[in-house]
Amino acid sequence: LIIKQIVYSFVHEPFVEELDFSTLKKLNTKFIAPSEKSRQADIVYEVKSKGQTSYIYLFLEFQSTVDHFMALRMARYVFEFYQEIQILTKEDRLNPSFPILIYNGNATWTAPEKFSQLLYSSSIPKAFLPEFRYFKIAINKISKRDLVKMRNAVSALFYIENSSAADIARNWNELVFILKEV
């Protein structure tokens, strides 16, 4: 239910309406990185979309600082996940994935969301350069008014995350209003 609320509330892309959340299944996310160190991805869900399997890769970023190379890091996680899926299934094609970054730090998120923005300019044609992009949800950029309008568990959590203790005490009625709907 939480993943559905996150996607419906914050991912305003047409494909979201095609997702069948009754088919949502959490996947095992332990895999071995090329460095041979174990890596635990945060959350990976499989969900059907128009009968086709897709993956929603949810990477929860709880650092207080911005990681300039997040696009590289997330691309690595997604490609390592794909490698594991390919090894397990032996398929010659892979299902699409949608990587989501949830950032809850205080600073404005300034890191590039596209891997290509990390590369120096070059005469190499862009068609031959790797491309990867993640979808960013920056909690500190969502207005409290919008969170109150959403009235779901995720918006309540983000409202609290976006508020100081004094803000919560001062706006207690708004938070109670959100939680009544949950």
Side-chain angles (χ1 to χ4, degrees), residues 7 11 13-19 49 56 98:
V7 172
V11 180
E13 297 290 332
F15 81 93
V16 168
E17 296 303 319
E18 298 172 358
L19 298 176
S49 173
I56 296 176
F98 187 72

Side-chain angles (χ1 to χ4, degrees), residues 62-102:
F62 289 111
Q63 290 181 221
S64 59
T65 58
V66 175
D67 181 349
H68 181 75
F69 286 94
M70 183 55 70
L72 172 62
R73 202 165 120 193
M74 286 187 71
R76 192 184 100 227
Y77 297 156
V78 170
F79 289 130
E80 288 172 354
F81 172 73
Y82 272 145
Q83 177 125 39
E84 277 300 305
I85 292 294
Q86 192 280 319
I87 290 168
L88 291 171
T89 65
K90 308 287 191 236
E91 296 287 332
D92 62 352
R93 293 209 175 230
L94 300 165
N95 292 313
S97 67
F98 187 72
I100 300 173
L101 169 81
I102 298 178

Side-chain angles (χ1 to χ4, degrees), residues 175-182:
L175 186 56
V176 169
F177 178 76
I178 295 171
L179 293 172
K180 280 183 179 178
E181 299 295 320
V182 176

Side-chain angles (χ1 to χ4, degrees), residues 101-117:
L101 169 81
I102 298 178
Y103 172 68
N104 75 336
N106 293 324
T108 300
W109 185 261
T110 56
E113 294 168 35
K114 292 168 56 173
F115 177 77
S116 61
Q117 294 170 319

Side-chain angles (χ1 to χ4, degrees), residues 125-145:
K126 289 185 185 233
F128 297 101
L129 299 175
E131 187 54 63
F132 174 83
R133 182 180 193 143
Y134 59 88
F135 186 88
K136 174 193 70 183
I137 300 172
I139 295 172
N140 63 0
K141 290 295 183 184
I142 305 167
S143 76
K144 289 184 178 129
R145 176 189 287 181

